[in-house]
Amino acid sequence: MILNKKSNLFFLLTLSVFVLGCVTQSKTTSKLITKAKTNVTFSENSDIIPLEDRNRRKFDNAVIADLDQDGFLDLLLTEHSRRVELYWNNNGVFELGKPFIFGDTHGIAVSDYDFDGKVDVIVQPGGGDGKNPRKPRYYHVNKDRTIEKGGEFKHFEKGRGRAAKFVDIKKDGKLDLVTSAFPTLKALNKGNILYTNDNKSTFKFNSYISNADRMGMRTTLLDFNNDGITDILFHGGRKLVLVEGLIDGYKEVTKQVLGDLSKTNLVNSVSQIDFDNDGDFDLFLTRSKHPFDAESDYDAVNKRFYFFARRTKFDYNNIKVKGDLKIENLQMAFPNFDVFLGANKKLWKRKNDKHGHHDLTITKEEAKGYPEDTKKKALYIGYLGNGMWRIGGHTNSPTSAVLHNVMTSPEIIKLKDLPAKLLENKEGKFIEVTKNFGIDIAEQTSSSAIGDFNNDGWSDIFVLRYGESSKSTKQILYLNHEGKTFKRDENHGVITKELGATGMGADAFDYDNDGDLDIICSNERGKWHLFTNNFTSSSNKYVTVKVGNSPTGKATATSAVLTIKSCGKIYKRVVGETSSSFSHSFNTYLNVGLGTCNKIEFAEVVWTNGEKKKLEISTLNKIYTVGKFN
């Protein structure tokens, strides 16, 4: 019998994880593999997770953590300005939980920062477009899946919150907190803040950290110099700013480490990747336009026109449509929700809540004419006769839609190329090697997920495209060929089909503990997608290490580093590391593909306070645990 991944729900729901000492047997060892697949392929299965089939606004990547500490990774998925959806993982099958985070939500940081055995969640709320600056909130998750609302950090500075990331700046095992915001021009040098642990688990103000420009609030944690202290890269605007972590704070080292690469603009995500297995972390950068800029796009084959506007007048008065006007994925956000039809400005009434998409068909008769007075901020739709339609308006909030059966192209806004970049770490300094290693992505991209998707011993790169919103989007997968080059795989199967959406965030994680990495990704004004990795191999090996607190219990697993030496290669993995620009996950399961290598010479975990623990790994294709667990 061959047990295909997730095809047997009874198997997934009843399977136990057996523990022998510090060794946990994974499900993969129970598979009887008759034939190895040579390609990496992914697939979606709605039976695995009950994701909502409705397009909504998003914010950042998924937040991944074993919230109830049952041995399987759960998910927090942000629906921007509405709420955060909670998905509990039941042995590899998810169920929708009761939400506990509501409203305009941005960065989320997860760990057990107060050492009470409960997983803590810190939330950065939005600032109501600058009109309602707020302070971060915190919650505690119990093992029985109940949620304790902790409250608000009342002594923090108010702001339009963006990132929330944990660091251990003193290397004492106690987590400190770095936040970023969307600052006003007057407070530009106060956007990034370090709050240090005050032994009361409420944190205290330490200092402001070097800033870039206003859009440079995207935040990536890294360790460019391998000294075990977390460094920070701020990005998203006109330039990059890199600060080096010291024992008592940060100093800017942008020019020394990045040189002219510091001028790289519009970087929306940064991933650490040791693509050559030499023991230091290289970087992969994705880039796309600011989310506020207007867009329009036309698919001539399928006769679809897409537009997006925010805080600007727009007027498409030459739209030739065959038949009635069919609109897909119309989205309008607070405070401008009104849609007026025809010269009489008949108000169109929604059937569903305002936070998601609407599909509608408008007849020529009900939208006859176009109003003379369009001063009120809203969307106006009118039929002009002879198959011609006019759509215009002026909204403060994002407004977008896809129009079907558009026979000729209205004016479009072509997205400029913003090539993704691969930067190699050369003794603590970065140089660009994108083309040298076969990567060629000129278009705009939104996010990346790093992982050894075929367990051949080399880290691959999954890239989420910004996309052309009038079309479905086939995403990008680059497979690493022994650290010498990357080759684009065209048969991976990761396709997002919703129209009117653009890429948002992507992560790799093993949600069913079977030893291969799956992908969770989202589209702005679109949906969440969970793609199952179907790769199996009779020869490629792996090991997964689940990391707990340090042996003394004085340091959490956050940012602990696993180092494995095997067959002449060095593998490094970091707890909680993703490409997220604003959130900090708490994925304590570190996956290392080993290819055909059958022996691990050295395995060690180092916690942020310097504590170390070696592992004896004699059998592969298993989950090992290391550290102290509650």
Side-chain angles (χ1 to χ4, degrees):
M1 177 180 66
I2 299 177
L3 295 176
N4 292 322
K5 183 176 179 182
K6 305 177 186 70
S7 63
N8 190 326
L9 288 179
F10 177 79
F11 173 76
L12 288 172
L13 289 170
T14 58
L15 183 67
S16 297
V17 180
F18 297 97
V19 180
L20 292 174
C22 69
V23 180
T24 303
Q25 180 72 41
S26 86
K27 293 185 297 183
T28 299
T29 57
S30 67
K31 294 181 179 179
L32 302 178
I33 301 170
T34 59
K35 183 178 180 181
K37 295 181 180 179
T38 57
N39 295 322
V40 180
T41 60
F42 296 84
S43 61
E44 285 191 276
N45 185 343
S46 59
D47 291 333
I48 298 304
I49 184 169
L51 294 168
E52 184 185 25
D53 187 24
R54 189 167 181 207
N55 299 317
R56 297 187 188 273
R57 297 172 62 206
K58 302 292 185 280
F59 198 93
D60 202 26
N61 298 31
V63 177
I64 303 166
D66 184 2
L67 296 170
D68 56 1
Q69 302 179 61
D70 68 347
F72 286 85
L73 294 165
D74 309 303
L75 294 170
L76 293 170
L77 307 182
T78 302
E79 306 287 358
H80 190 195
S81 298
R82 179 175 175 258
R83 69 189 188 202
V84 177
E85 297 288 20
L86 166 63
Y87 287 91
W88 298 111
N89 188 339
N90 299 319
N91 292 358
V93 177
F94 291 90
E95 70 170 280
L96 181 63
K98 184 178 179 180
F100 62 95
I101 303 169
F102 297 91
D104 188 9
T105 302
H106 293 170
I108 300 174
V110 180
S111 186
D112 179 11
Y113 63 79
D114 56 4
F115 296 98
D116 66 351
K118 304 172 185 178
V119 176
D120 309 309
V121 180
I122 293 179
V123 178
Q124 275 271 50
D129 202 23
K131 298 180 180 62
N132 182 30
R134 293 184 289 169
K135 301 176 181 181
R137 305 186 303 271
Y138 60 96
Y139 305 82
H140 310 294
V141 184
N142 296 311
K143 292 181 180 180
D144 64 359
R145 296 186 173 179
T146 57
I147 310 296
E148 298 177 24
K149 185 177 180 180
E152 181 183 67
F153 290 114
K154 296 185 181 298
H155 56 293
F156 275 39
E157 294 190 14
K158 285 186 177 182
R160 299 171 66 180
R162 289 304 190 265
K165 305 263 186 171
F166 288 118
V167 298
D168 180 3
I169 197 61
K170 296 180 180 179
K171 294 198 72 174
D172 59 0
K174 299 174 184 177
L175 291 178
D176 310 302
L177 184 67
V178 169
T179 64
S180 75
F182 190 8
T184 64
L185 292 173
K186 293 182 180 179
L188 181 59
N189 62 345
K190 296 182 178 181
N192 305 322
I193 303 175
L194 170 64
Y195 293 95
T196 48
N197 196 304
D198 61 357
N199 295 321
K200 299 177 183 179
S201 301
T202 55
F203 305 100
K204 64 180 179 181
F205 175 86
N206 179 281
S207 59
Y208 297 110
I209 309 175
S210 298
N211 62 283
D213 49 78
R214 289 188 73 202
M215 298 302 295
M217 67 275 192
R218 293 178 179 269
T219 306
T220 296
L221 304 182
L222 63 157
D223 183 6
F224 71 89
N225 54 6
N226 259 340
D227 66 353
I229 306 177
T230 301
D231 312 305
I232 307 176
L233 183 66
F234 296 109
H235 52 95
R238 297 187 301 271
K239 61 181 180 179
L240 307 176
V241 169
L242 177 62
V243 295
E244 179 183 2
L246 307 175
I247 289 297
D248 56 354
Y250 288 97
K251 72 172 183 179
E252 185 179 345
V253 292
T254 308
K255 283 294 183 182
Q256 301 94 304
V257 177
L258 293 171
D260 287 342
L261 288 170
S262 63
K263 300 175 183 177
T264 307
N265 67 341
L266 299 173
V267 174
N268 53 19
S269 82
V270 179
S271 292
Q272 286 199 124
I273 172 174
D274 184 6
F275 67 83
D276 49 6
N277 292 339
D278 66 350
D280 57 25
F281 284 115
D282 314 298
L283 302 177
F284 183 78
L285 282 55
T286 64
R287 303 167 67 206
S288 65
K289 60 181 274 301
H290 289 315
F292 310 136
D293 300 339
E295 299 176 42
S296 59
D297 178 33
Y298 181 67
D299 178 0
V301 174
N302 295 295
K303 307 301 180 186
R304 295 189 293 239
F305 174 66
Y306 158 81
F307 72 89
F308 169 87
R310 186 186 190 213
R311 289 180 179 166
T312 183
K313 289 184 178 181
F314 56 97
D315 189 1
Y316 297 103
N317 56 16
N318 60 342
I319 302 175
K320 186 176 182 180
V321 176
K322 182 179 179 181
D324 294 331
L325 182 62
K326 180 182 177 183
I327 300 177
E328 180 176 348
N329 197 6
L330 169 65
Q331 294 210 38
M332 302 174 71
F334 180 84
N336 308 125
F337 291 106
D338 290 338
V339 179
F340 293 112
L341 305 180
N344 295 327
K345 294 192 288 188
K346 178 183 177 182
L347 179 65
W348 174 72
K349 295 183 179 180
R350 289 170 170 78
K351 296 180 180 179
N352 298 313
D353 71 82
K354 296 178 179 180
H355 289 287
H357 88 271
H358 300 270
D359 297 333
L360 59 153
T361 299
I362 302 172
T363 66
K364 299 174 182 178
E365 185 61 30
E366 65 183 327
K368 189 175 181 179
Y370 195 83
E372 293 183 5
D373 181 7
T374 58
K375 291 180 182 178
K376 178 178 173 62
K377 287 191 164 123
L379 177 67
Y380 297 88
I381 302 173
Y383 178 63
L384 309 179
N386 297 320
M388 302 301 293
W389 292 74
R390 182 177 179 182
I391 295 181
H394 185 187
T395 56
N396 285 337
S397 58
T399 299
S400 64
V402 175
L403 313 181
H404 287 263
N405 302 318
V406 178
M407 306 313 292
T408 58
S409 175
E411 181 180 356
I412 66 172
I413 301 173
K414 183 175 175 58
L415 297 177
K416 72 175 185 177
D417 290 344
L418 291 172
K421 294 179 180 288
L422 179 65
L423 310 183
E424 184 175 6
N425 190 333
K426 290 285 191 180
E427 297 180 349
K429 296 183 179 180
F430 292 100
I431 61 171
E432 184 177 357
V433 294
T434 313
K435 294 292 178 67
N436 308 48
F437 284 85
I439 293 175
D440 184 10
I441 309 175
E443 66 183 277
Q444 297 188 19
T445 51
S446 298
S447 184
S448 66
I450 306 301
D452 186 355
F453 295 111
N454 53 9
N455 282 334
D456 68 347
W458 302 93
S459 292
D460 311 306
I461 306 174
F462 171 78
V463 185
L464 193 69
R465 298 167 65 188
Y466 188 82
E468 299 175 70
S469 298
S470 63
K471 305 174 183 177
S472 62
T473 304
K474 179 181 178 181
Q475 307 300 344
I476 297 171
L477 177 64
Y478 273 101
L479 295 180
N480 187 339
H481 287 250
E482 298 183 348
K484 299 174 182 177
T485 189
F486 288 89
K487 293 185 180 180
R488 194 158 169 166
D489 185 295
E490 298 294 348
N491 301 308
H492 51 74
V494 182
I495 299 173
T496 53
K497 298 180 180 180
E498 62 264 43
L499 305 179
T502 61
M504 175 57 75
D507 280 308
F509 75 124
D510 182 6
Y511 72 82
D512 54 0
N513 292 347
D514 71 346
D516 57 34
L517 293 174
D518 312 297
I519 291 173
I520 179 84
C521 64
S522 67
N523 283 327
E524 165 68 339
R525 300 184 300 280
K527 299 180 178 69
W528 287 98
H529 298 270
L530 178 63
F531 287 94
T532 296
N533 189 341
N534 299 315
F535 181 81
T536 56
S537 172
S538 59
S539 57
N540 287 354
K541 305 296 190 298
Y542 75 91
V543 65
T544 298
V545 176
K546 178 184 177 183
V547 181
N549 290 346
S550 66
T552 66
K554 294 181 179 180
T556 73
T558 293
S559 297
V561 179
L562 166 69
T563 300
I564 285 178
K565 296 179 181 179
S566 176
C567 295
K569 305 179 188 69
I570 302 174
Y571 300 97
K572 295 184 71 174
R573 303 289 187 266
V574 181
V575 171
E577 181 174 80
T578 72
S579 67
S580 171
S581 295
F582 301 112
S583 295
H584 199 164
S585 287
F586 193 42
N587 183 355
T588 58
Y589 289 77
L590 304 181
N591 172 273
V592 178
L594 298 167
T596 58
C597 187
N598 289 309
K599 184 179 180 181
I600 291 179
E601 292 92 22
F602 175 86
E604 182 180 67
V605 172
V606 179
W607 284 263
T608 58
N609 65 348
E611 287 187 63
K612 301 178 181 180
K613 180 69 175 180
K614 290 183 179 180
L615 290 85
E616 295 296 329
I617 299 178
S618 57
T619 305
L620 303 181
N621 294 353
K622 290 185 177 180
I623 299 176
Y624 287 75
T625 61
V626 59
K628 187 175 182 179
F629 294 87
N630 297 306

